[in-house]
Amino acid sequence: MSRQVGRPLGGTLLACALLMGTAACEGSTGGAPGRSHTLTPVPAPTGESPAEPSALEKYLELPIAKYAFSVEELDLMSRAEWKITRECMREYDLAYDLERSASAAEYQPGSNRRYGVLNAQVASRYGYEIPDAAPAASQETVSEKQLLALNGRPGGTAEVNGRKVPEGGCLGRAKSEIRGRYTDAKGAEVASSIATESFTESLEAPDVVKATRDWSQCMKEKGFSYSTPLQALGADENSGAKVTRREISVATTDIACKESTGLVKIWSSRETAIQDSLIAKNQTDLKRLAVSHRKVVSEARSVLG
């Protein structure tokens, strides 16, 4: 289980809190942050049912999401990169039989903390902790030669079975062939900035400020003193090595107060309006980003045949 949000929200941590479950925190996808991926159940402790998406999590879908790759597109790209990697490894007389993850891009209910905790079923088990995704299938042991061919040697070339391996190795080649030539760094940066700017601006919107104040009053009436959901999310007492009963109580009350005050709906609506405005002002860059995404997907399809 992950504790990456269990500390004061500053710097990189705040960015991940804003964009949790997106490319910004999972590694580059060439897409825009703010994407609410296909919802799949969170793995449950033995004997318990998996967590399902909550009603509040539907508000995570924001306008900038249309400038990100879909789960289906990410899966297509992953399959194409796997095929290129396998063919590359054959050039070094090496096998590549590692299983490809089929669900890496899927959103796990309860993991997106843009508006704090939103899934009561997950919070009742983990408090403010983010549950791990389902464990990957067991993999075969990878030899040193395979690792070198797959990843190359940082800062220089390597040699495997008499053939030179470029920096980045076969994995680097696969990513470059599928995504590299069509990457639109400026467009992706604009999309990312919109996702961050809309969140920051929404915090100061009068309707969000009022709803947050109502949420804080609700929490206080239940015995918990927090000014905002992000303060509760990053509080030291909710960030210990072990989840406590108090933390679970705070997290589930947090969600109940969001539901009773309508905070998440108000917050998401305000962000949607802000993003719509920013998207309209940045159409040139975003349209170019969308074109680059279509080219990447087309390239992946051509590789798969």
Side-chain angles (χ1 to χ4, degrees):
M1 291 177 285
S2 304
R3 272 293 191 188
Q4 58 262 54
V5 296
R7 295 181 183 143
L9 295 173
T12 302
L13 185 57
L14 176 57
C16 281
L18 302 187
L19 310 174
M20 190 66 67
T22 73
C25 293
E26 295 180 83
S28 175
T29 64
R35 187 85 185 188
S36 177
H37 296 310
T38 299
L39 300 179
T40 54
V42 162
T46 304
E48 296 185 27
S49 301
E52 297 292 340
S54 72
L56 291 179
E57 287 179 285
K58 69 181 180 182
Y59 296 113
L60 293 167
E61 186 73 25
L62 296 167
I64 199 64
K66 62 186 175 185
Y67 296 101
F69 291 113
S70 68
V71 170
E72 292 75 21
E73 288 169 339
L74 287 170
D75 181 69
L76 181 76
M77 292 155 59
S78 174
R79 287 190 285 120
E81 289 171 359
W82 187 90
K83 181 178 179 181
I84 292 172
T85 300
R86 192 174 191 183
E87 292 172 350
C88 174
M89 292 290 281
R90 287 173 181 164
E91 295 177 14
Y92 300 95
D93 298 320
L94 296 171
Y96 184 63
D97 298 320
L98 298 181
E99 293 184 26
R100 185 186 65 85
S101 174
S103 59
E106 293 178 345
Y107 171 70
Q108 298 292 328
S111 67
N112 189 319
R113 302 300 167 88
R114 192 176 188 89
Y115 303 129
V117 287
L118 299 179
N119 191 302
Q121 194 176 3
V122 173
S124 67
R125 296 170 183 163
Y126 304 106
Y128 285 95
E129 190 167 349
I130 298 177
D132 290 332
S138 58
Q139 301 282 12
E140 294 183 10
T141 302
V142 180
S143 69
E144 289 187 15
K145 279 188 176 181
Q146 286 175 308
L147 283 174
L148 191 56
L150 282 170
N151 301 302
R153 179 173 287 122
T157 59
E159 188 172 295
V160 173
N161 290 339
R163 295 180 63 91
K164 288 186 177 180
V165 180
E167 186 173 359
C170 289
L171 291 174
R173 178 196 291 184
K175 289 186 181 298
S176 177
E177 289 188 17
I178 297 299
R179 316 183 194 207
R181 73 184 71 175
Y182 301 117
T183 295
D184 180 8
K186 183 182 178 182
E189 182 179 353
V190 168
S192 179
S193 295
I194 288 174
T196 304
E197 185 178 340
S198 65
F199 182 87
T200 303
E201 188 175 333
S202 72
L203 293 173
E204 300 178 358
D207 52 350
V208 175
V209 170
K210 181 183 182 303
T212 301
R213 193 178 296 123
D214 292 341
W215 172 90
S216 181
Q217 180 60 34
C218 174
M219 291 290 285
K220 188 174 182 179
E221 291 171 358
K222 303 295 184 181
F224 305 115
S225 181
Y226 297 101
S227 298
T228 71
L230 294 186
Q231 183 190 29
L233 182 68
D236 288 342
E237 63 269 23
N238 299 327
S239 309
K242 293 183 178 180
V243 177
T244 64
R245 291 182 179 179
R246 182 190 184 280
E247 179 183 340
I248 288 175
S249 181
V250 174
T252 53
T253 301
D254 178 342
I255 295 169
C257 286
K258 283 178 177 136
E259 292 172 336
S260 65
T261 60
L263 171 58
V264 178
K265 181 179 181 180
I266 293 167
W267 203 346
S268 176
S269 296
R270 177 54 55 194
E271 260 215 276
T272 294
I274 295 169
Q275 286 194 5
D276 282 341
S277 176
L278 292 172
I279 287 170
K281 294 175 183 177
N282 291 276
Q283 276 296 289
T284 299
D285 288 322
L286 292 175
K287 284 181 178 178
R288 191 180 62 250
L289 178 63
V291 170
S292 76
H293 281 187
R294 288 196 292 271
K295 288 180 178 179
V296 169
V297 173
S298 178
E299 183 70 24
R301 287 199 179 100
S302 68
V303 167
L304 292 172

